[in-house]
Amino acid sequence: MENSNDKKDYVIRLDKARKKRTKSDYKKLLIMGGAGVVLVAVIVTAGVAVKRNGASAPAALATASQANGQKELNSTGNNTKSSEEAAKETQEIKKVIDSYKNLGIVKASGYLNVRKEPSTEADVIGKLQGDGACDILDKTEDGWYKITSGGIEGYINSQYVITGEEAKKKAESLVKLRAVVTADSMNIRKEASKSSDSVGQALNNERYEVLGQTDGWVKIASGYLSSDYVKLEYSLNEARKLDLKAMIFNYYKNIGISDVDNYLNVREEPNEKGKIIAKMPSKAAGDILEKTDDGWYKIQSGSITGYVKSDYILTGPAAKDEAMQVAELMAIVSTDMLNARSEPSTDSKIWTQISNNERYPVLKQIDGWVEIELEEDSSAYVSTDFVDVRYALPQAIKFSPLEEKANEQASLRTQIVNYALQFLGNPYVWGGTSLTKGADCSGFTMSVFSHFGIGLPHYSGSQAQMGTPVKSGDMQPGDLVFYANSRGTINHVGIYIGNGQIVNAASRRSGIKISTWNYRTPVKIRNIIGK
């Protein structure tokens, strides 16, 4: 039976919802010249000119430790730096700082939004990371600086910026040897090899601190950059442009878009009998690697590589047009488990945690924080330290259907899961119970189980009282997984389908979809099947 207060709360929310329907190349030139030619400062200056004019690279580059003033081991075994080297380094640091007419240094954690106009409601056009530098052009009466940084001109909140002599002093420790990207985009590789996996994309004019160098490669915090497409120079970090929709194409060499209403199977082999290893949601993107003679594309989408029927993939201009229509501003989690809070403050309550690599629609950007959508009418705030905010497209989801034993009747649990998965991609409708025309989270679970003669109330809080409790390590396909809002009230439910995943009616944006079971922290798991 439903609790009357639960019913009342649900009806109020239902009624409310119905009413309402984002240079100097300090390759240190160790030129082995003729006897007596050791004018290092002149050589460095010449090296800069050579680099700017596209001449071949010098024989050796300064390592990051050398560039940042760390002590080197000299030939006698003493950890000392010559006074000449120290003087040169000081001179280069001063040159970088003096290149700013009115230096500002960001003191915010994470990054500071650069906006088109001096207002928190204005479009975000870039981001300036903590300790990043800018030139201050003007100051408004209501607390905004007009700045230029990284090729971006816009406005930042002045309360998060230090200026004057304090900024210059701070900058002395922030000037580093950095790799500045010269190509429109380039892969960040896991290892120093063109055959190594790509772990990300670096875009034109972005700056990355150099941690080391090897033959033809520059080591940065997240991997390796080919030295063919970067220039090395001492610099401060600067703003990065917000990845506008068009920039999504920098992440794909030969983009293909799934042209289906629900999900497209990704198979291990290019034939109908090939094992299903993943599903591409509607309008998901991938790189087309090759095409077979009999109508299959080998495609890479996210971490998945497999085969899809070419009949269901848009390519060329049609794919690009579709991508521009469906790309959304997403927050992509970049840490194992990320705290989600009810307010944009570290003093606010942590009420759930979200998983690495999950993608969430961005509802609002606040300096240092992003408001993300978890489910319909359920949002949370996460720190920008641990998410990458950019326009992105859906990707393939790792998925293998439950296998049924040959010549044996499928178990009830398998039947329930396979039945529920027929409705992937169908719409979310608040208060709905139709598996084809639209259902909300509890309406979806209620209607799926009703098909098998199992009655459930149309409210997730009441469903959470049904059956028996289950530990996460003992979950079986067909169990119900429940999630709560910031007040601790259960407000969402999904069906566990095995392989660490649930199927759930999530929101109007995504409809009925597959998610990882712990995409955020569950509060209850219930067995209502009894077997």
Side-chain angles (χ1 to χ4, degrees), residues 374-395:
L374 297 176
E375 298 101 22
E376 188 70 15
D377 290 333
S378 183
S379 66
Y381 292 90
V382 294
S383 169
T384 55
D385 285 339
F386 307 108
V387 292
D388 180 21
V389 177
R390 62 177 175 83
Y391 279 95
L393 294 163
Q395 293 182 327

Side-chain angles (χ1 to χ4, degrees), residues 236-274:
L236 290 162
N237 202 10
E238 289 200 352
R240 297 182 183 181
K241 291 180 181 178
L242 182 68
D243 298 331
L244 302 176
K245 281 190 178 183
M247 288 187 176
I248 59 176
F249 301 125
N250 292 323
Y251 292 83
Y252 302 94
K253 292 181 180 178
N254 186 13
I255 192 170
I257 302 288
S258 59
D259 189 25
V260 293
D261 292 330
N262 39 45
Y263 281 72
L264 178 62
N265 289 327
V266 183
R267 297 182 183 272
E268 197 169 53
E269 301 293 337
N271 59 71
E272 295 286 0
K273 294 183 179 179

Side-chain angles (χ1 to χ4, degrees), residues 338-354:
L338 177 58
N339 292 330
R341 300 176 186 271
S342 54
E343 299 294 336
S345 167
T346 53
D347 295 329
S348 179
K349 174 186 175 184
I350 299 170
W351 62 275
T352 193
Q353 289 187 312
I354 56 181

Side-chain angles (χ1 to χ4, degrees), residues 47-58:
V48 173
V50 169
K51 180 68 176 178
R52 287 177 177 167
N53 287 291
S56 59

